[in-house]
Amino acid sequence: MADETIGIVGAGIVGLATAREITLRRPGTRVVVLDKEERVAAHQTGHNSGVVHAGIYYTPGSLKARLCTRGTILLREYCADRALPYDECGKLVVAVTDEEVPRMAALGARARRNRVPGLREVSAGEIREIEPHAAGKAALHSPRTAITDYTRIAGEFARDVEDGGGEVRLGFRVTRVTQVPNGIEVASGQDTVRVGRLVLCAGLQSDSVAQLADDGAEPRIIPFRGEYMTVRPDRAHMVRGLIYPVPDPRYPFLGVHFTRRVNGEVEVGPNAVLAGAREGYRRSRISLRDLARTAAWPGTWHMAGQHWRTGLKELRGSLSKTAYMKAARAYVPEIGAADVVRAGAGVRAQALDRDGTLVDDFRIHQVGRVTAVRNAPSPAATSSMAIAEHLVDAVLGERPRG
């Protein structure tokens, strides 16, 4: 194994964490990370909200829940060791109507099964003690939920890989994956890299790259753009930490919320609108090829039939700052459309099965010598170091960790 080369496709936080884990666990094994961009963390990692999730939302016993719990511990220790920002500013999940209170209580029961540290239910008065400008009937308070800078963490992971004798090779767009005797040939045009095993962590392109390695078409990635507003600096003091809605269990997105960043800014968002391209960070970015792939997938139309009303609501918010902030003001009434400016956007790689099921849990496929991460939604950044352990256990044939 020490003489073997292991390739990683994708220089986002999951791919880099996986490469780092291999260099730590099997010194002498050559690791090469391949990415089409000229910098690491160019897509989902670099457009992340920076939240370190505590595990409130995830089905107990699911891979998501288990890896989030361990990933938080590993990430906190890593940030402390490297003097990277890690601020346990806390989170409120707020019920703003009487109808939401039972859903909030059920969410709290789920979170306690996931061993979310310090979680407690708080009253309307206690909400004001924690967040003086917030409003609601009741809330869950997660004091250990934190914020960090995932771009910096990914950069540090890349340095760890190189310090461990690995290579991070940028500007390498994978166009072909070929099984060859005792290995795999990965090509970018005429340039080729020969590896013994390959791990695919391609994020927004995960389905396309997996199919190059003879994996199936399912699930398909459907890109959703999440747009943010930034609160004006003179109003940013009104949010101390994170203020979230009680999620709708029928929908995979958490809804518009308030997020404090490690640089002191406060963001509102994101919404979730169908993107015109896999990397469509702006409304004007349209890829006819990507749109055709989305339209050709049967699951797209099943999903549209189930969620078209929500889709129209999200679209209205995308086009109108007033509509966007209408829902947000239920949580912080003193911050309205005049108090925010449009900021950046991210694109979520939403995995969708053929029958229209929105894939919620992490999904990993094994195809011979190829391990393909087909779905790694939030909390993938939080869980990145634990996902890396899980993947490397599979790649090296070791016993999974508890």
Side-chain angles (χ1 to χ4, degrees), residues 145-213:
T145 296
I147 52 176
T148 189
D149 185 332
Y150 286 116
T151 301
R152 286 183 61 183
I153 292 171
E156 198 73 14
F157 285 171
R159 282 186 285 276
D160 290 344
V161 171
E162 292 172 336
D163 289 346
E167 178 185 3
V168 179
R169 191 167 176 181
L170 302 176
F172 190 102
R173 180 186 293 272
V174 175
T175 56
R176 190 176 73 255
V177 177
T178 307
Q179 301 275 351
V180 296
N182 300 316
I184 302 161
E185 189 175 85
V186 186
S188 178
Q190 299 303 309
D191 196 1
T192 61
V193 175
R194 176 79 173 263
V195 299
R197 300 170 192 268
L198 185 65
V199 184
L200 307 180
C201 303
L204 287 162
Q205 308 295 340
S206 61
D207 54 349
S208 300
V209 176
Q211 286 183 268
L212 292 176

Side-chain angles (χ1 to χ4, degrees), residues 58-67 219 348 350-351 357-364 373-379:
Y58 318 123
T59 302
S62 66
L63 193 57
K64 242 188 185 184
R66 291 189 285 114
L67 296 184
R348 170 174 173 153
Q350 176 60 54
T357 300
L358 295 156
V359 182
D360 182 61
D361 206 357
F362 299 141
R363 188 175 291 185
I364 299 165
V373 178
R374 294 297 299 263
N375 189 48
S378 178

Side-chain angles (χ1 to χ4, degrees), residues 239-360:
V239 178
R240 294 176 172 178
L242 312 173
I243 304 173
Y244 278 55
V246 176
D248 185 337
R250 300 168 299 175
Y251 200 57
F253 307 112
L254 292 176
V256 170
H257 46 270
F258 290 84
T259 304
R260 178 164 287 279
R261 304 299 297 262
V262 292
N263 64 3
E265 292 182 350
V266 172
E267 288 183 339
V268 189
N271 59 358
V273 293
L274 191 64
R278 291 286 178 104
E279 297 165 10
Y281 300 106
R282 298 185 303 275
R283 287 197 208 115
S284 58
R285 174 81 166 89
I286 302 294
S287 166
L288 296 179
R289 179 179 180 274
D290 289 348
L291 285 174
R293 282 175 59 81
T294 295
W297 186 241
T300 301
W301 302 103
H302 292 301
M303 177 187 67
Q306 297 172 49
H307 299 296
W308 64 271
R309 289 182 180 85
T310 302
L312 287 177
K313 180 181 176 183
E314 294 290 310
L315 184 60
R316 282 197 297 273
S318 175
L319 298 174
S320 165
K321 193 163 67 166
T322 300
Y324 187 104
M325 290 301 297
K326 182 179 179 181
R329 291 194 74 176
Y331 303 93
V332 185
E334 296 171 70
I335 297 179
D339 302 310
V340 298
V341 295
R342 291 191 181 275
V347 180
R348 170 174 173 153
Q350 176 60 54
L352 187 65
D353 279 335
R354 186 177 292 274
D355 65 359
T357 300
L358 295 156
V359 182
D360 182 61

